[in-house]
Each structure stands twice: as C-alpha cells, then as structure tokens.
C-alpha cells in the first residue's frame, strides 16, 4: 500500500509539473509581449539607436538638412522612445493574439501623420526643457510649421524604415507554427484548463500524503523545479542576446530579451509560491505533533 501511494504521488507530481509548467508558460508568453518587456528589449538591443540612425539617413527626415541635429536629438528623446516602444508593443501583441491590422500585412497599422506629429511635439518639448536643443518661441513656430508640412513624407519614410528592420513583422513563414502555439497557449481555455489540472494534482498530493503532512512539500518542490528550469532558460536566452551581436537579426535579439523577461517574471512568482509551500508543510507537521 505504501508503494502504491508513493507511485501515485510520483504520477501526480509529474502531472503537477506538466500542468503548472503549461500555466506558467502561458503567463510567460503574455509577459514577454508586454510593454515592459518590449521596452527592455528596445533598450538592451539598441533598437532605437539603430532606428534613429536609419531614419536620419533620409534627407526627408532631416528636412533638407536644416534641422538635422535637432531631429536627431528629438528622435533620441524619451518621448520618442516611448512612442516607438508602444507602437512596437501593439504590433507584437497583435501578432501573438492573431489580431489583424489594416495595413495590408495583417499584423500592424502604419504610423499615422497625426500621431507622429504629436510624438515629435512631445519630444521637442522634452529636448527644449532639458537643454539638448535651444529654440525660441518664434523659431519653435517656424519649426512646427516645417515639421507639420513634412509630416506625411516623414511618416512614410519612418514606416518604410520600420518595415525594413522587421519591427512590425517578427513572424515569418518559418516561425508561424510557433506563433500558432503561442496563440493557443495564451487562450483562456488553455490557461485556466492548465491551472485547473494543476490545482487538482496539488489537492491530490495533499490528500495522498496527508498521513505524513508532506503534500504541500511535494507541491513546493515541483513549483521550485519548474521555476528553476524557467530561470535557466531565461539566463541562456539573455546570454544568447548579448553574445549574438550583429550576427543575429535585431528582431530575433529583441525576441530573446522579451522571452527571457517573461520567463524570469513567472519564474520569480512560481519560485515564491513554491517556497511559501514549504513552511506550510512544516507548520502542518508541528500541529500534528
């Protein structure tokens, strides 16, 4: 009887590891395409610097060369970084969730002139306030008028550069199969189904090991094992993103950073829950005595 109970405990532990791992993976995918993850990827891969350099290479963005340095400072402002980050976040989230845009690719909406002008205005205000550019009230009016006149051409140029950098098309034919899996994993049916199975397996372990009050200990060890594996995978991906340099496409390096972020986030939560289970088991043993 003891052997059967032990074998059943092993089976339930394996079920718990699989189901809890699936549930945490679902949350990891969601975290990986969050704006925080994409902002981290943009910063760590130098995506904005590369985007800025490519955009500035266009004479239209320099507005005939008259405002070249001014435009460079504005493009590197926090306001513009946040704008491009938020835009990229929407593109990626649409791809993961399977939502279609209206730009023809089925994955994204092109940056519009009005939104871009608002972002540039915010960047200009920021640069004037921090002293990176100097512009009087009259000069600002002239600059805004020139910027607004050039905005349609400027928006087209920036959209072209973004497409060339694959910032709006992370998913190609080779990775479409993986994206279908990601879309399935983020569905509510998959997520809550995995959570339900994990809860049942955890309850089964608690009942099966109630004579030793060790069910929570088994659950905690399983969660810690999953968290440890996720953390190892995240560390490996982070190392790949850092060591790959220019040998790997920017979009791929960004995905490495984003997935590593998602894995570390859920590994932290899973590890915390796993650790919390251990003292519960200890208290149960003390109460029994």
């Amino acid at each position: 009887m003891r052997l059967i109970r032990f074998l059943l405990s092993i089976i339930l532990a394996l079920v718990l590891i699989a189901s809890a791992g699936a549930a945490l993976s679902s949350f990891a995918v969601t975290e990986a395409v969050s704006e925080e993850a994409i902002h981290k990827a943009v910063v760590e891969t130098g995506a904005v610097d590369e985007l800025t350099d490519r955009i500035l290479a266009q004479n239209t963005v320099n507005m005939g060369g008259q405002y070249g340095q001014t435009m460079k400072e504005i493009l590197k402002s926090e306001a513009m970084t946040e704008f491009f980050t938020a835009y990229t976040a929407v593109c990626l989230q649409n791809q993961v969730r399977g939502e279609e845009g209206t730009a023809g690719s089925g994955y994204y909406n092109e940056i519009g002139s009005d939104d871009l002008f608002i972002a540039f205005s915010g960047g200009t205000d920021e640069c004037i306030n921090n002293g990176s550019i100097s512009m009087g009230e009259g000069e600002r009016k002239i600059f805004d008028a020139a910027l607004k006149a050039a905005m349609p051409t400027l928006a087209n140029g920036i959209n072209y550069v973004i497409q060339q950098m694959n910032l709006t098309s992370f998913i190609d034919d080779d990775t479409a199969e993986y994206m279908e899996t990601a879309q399935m994993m983020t569905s509510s049916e998959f997520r809550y189904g995995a959570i339900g199975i994990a809860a049942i397996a955890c309850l089964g372990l608690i009942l099966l090991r109630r004579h030793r009050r060790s069910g929570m200990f088994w659950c905690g060890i399983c969660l810690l094992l999953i968290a440890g594996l996720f953390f190892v995978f995240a560390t490996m991906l982070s190392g790949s993103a850092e060591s790959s340099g220019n040998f790997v496409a920017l979009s791929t390096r960004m995905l490495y950073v984003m997935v590593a972020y998602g894995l570390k986030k859920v590994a932290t939560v899973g590890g915390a829950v796993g650790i919390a289970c251990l003292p519960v088991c200890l208290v149960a043993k003390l109460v029994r005595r």
Side-chain angles (χ1 to χ4, degrees):
M1 186 66 183
R2 183 177 297 178
L3 177 61
I4 294 175
R5 188 182 293 114
F6 179 75
L7 291 176
L8 287 175
S9 298
I10 293 295
I11 293 172
L12 285 173
L14 292 175
V15 172
L16 176 58
I17 290 173
S19 56
L24 289 176
S25 296
S26 175
F27 286 107
V29 172
T30 301
E31 289 296 329
V33 294
S34 65
E35 193 163 328
E36 293 82 4
I38 295 174
H39 186 277
K40 182 178 177 64
V42 167
V43 173
E44 292 191 4
T45 59
V48 171
D49 289 338
E50 184 174 338
L51 176 63
T52 299
D53 291 340
R54 293 198 187 191
I55 292 174
L56 286 170
Q58 302 177 89
N59 289 330
T60 52
V61 177
N62 288 326
M63 292 193 292
Q66 184 177 2
Y67 295 104
Q69 186 59 37
T70 298
M71 293 294 284
K72 183 175 182 178
E73 293 296 334
I74 295 173
L75 280 168
K76 291 189 175 182
S77 67
E78 186 65 25
M80 292 303 300
T81 298
E82 292 297 333
F83 174 77
F84 288 127
T85 299
Y87 171 72
T88 306
V90 170
C91 292
L92 286 178
Q93 288 164 355
N94 285 346
Q95 291 180 71
V96 171
R97 296 169 184 169
E99 300 169 359
E100 293 191 352
T102 59
S105 72
Y107 287 129
Y108 69 97
N109 293 310
E110 291 185 341
I111 294 176
S113 299
D114 292 340
D115 292 337
L116 190 60
F117 180 76
I118 293 172
F120 264 100
S121 296
T124 304
D125 292 336
E126 178 186 326
C127 291
I128 291 175
N129 291 333
N130 63 27
S132 57
I133 62 174
S134 178
M135 191 179 294
E137 184 177 348
E139 188 178 359
R140 174 66 188 273
K141 290 181 179 180
I142 295 173
F143 174 78
D144 283 346
L147 183 64
K148 196 161 190 176
M151 194 51 63
T153 305
L154 180 59
N156 289 334
I158 290 178
N159 281 315
Y160 175 77
V161 171
I162 287 175
Q163 291 179 48
Q164 289 297 305
M165 292 177 65
N166 292 325
L167 291 181
T168 55
S169 56
F170 278 62
I171 310 308
D172 53 24
D173 293 337
D174 295 331
T175 56
E177 184 177 343
Y178 297 105
M179 190 48 54
E180 290 180 4
T181 302
Q183 291 171 3
M184 181 271 291
M185 290 178 63
T186 54
S187 67
S188 57
E189 294 84 0
F190 178 90
R191 178 173 295 177
Y192 295 115
I195 292 174
I197 294 173
I200 293 172
C202 186
L203 180 60
L205 278 172
I206 293 173
L207 294 175
L208 197 62
R209 310 298 300 179
R210 65 183 182 277
H211 64 293
R212 290 181 176 273
R213 300 294 192 273
S214 61
M216 290 299 291
F217 179 81
W218 281 62
C219 294
I221 292 299
C222 290
L223 289 174
L224 286 174
L225 177 61
I226 299 169
L229 289 174
F230 277 26
F231 188 80
V232 170
F233 291 150
T235 302
M236 292 171 61
L237 283 173
S238 296
S240 298
E242 292 175 2
S243 61
S244 59
N246 295 326
F247 297 103
V248 176
L250 173 65
S251 58
T252 302
R253 283 183 280 131
M254 288 181 67
L255 281 176
Y256 284 164
V257 175
M258 291 158 54
V259 173
Y261 175 88
L263 289 174
K264 284 184 179 179
K265 196 78 176 287
V266 298
T268 302
V269 175
V273 175
I275 292 173
C277 289
L278 303 184
V280 172
C281 177
L282 179 60
V283 170
K285 285 182 174 292
L286 291 175
V287 170
R288 184 189 180 191
R289 291 178 182 177

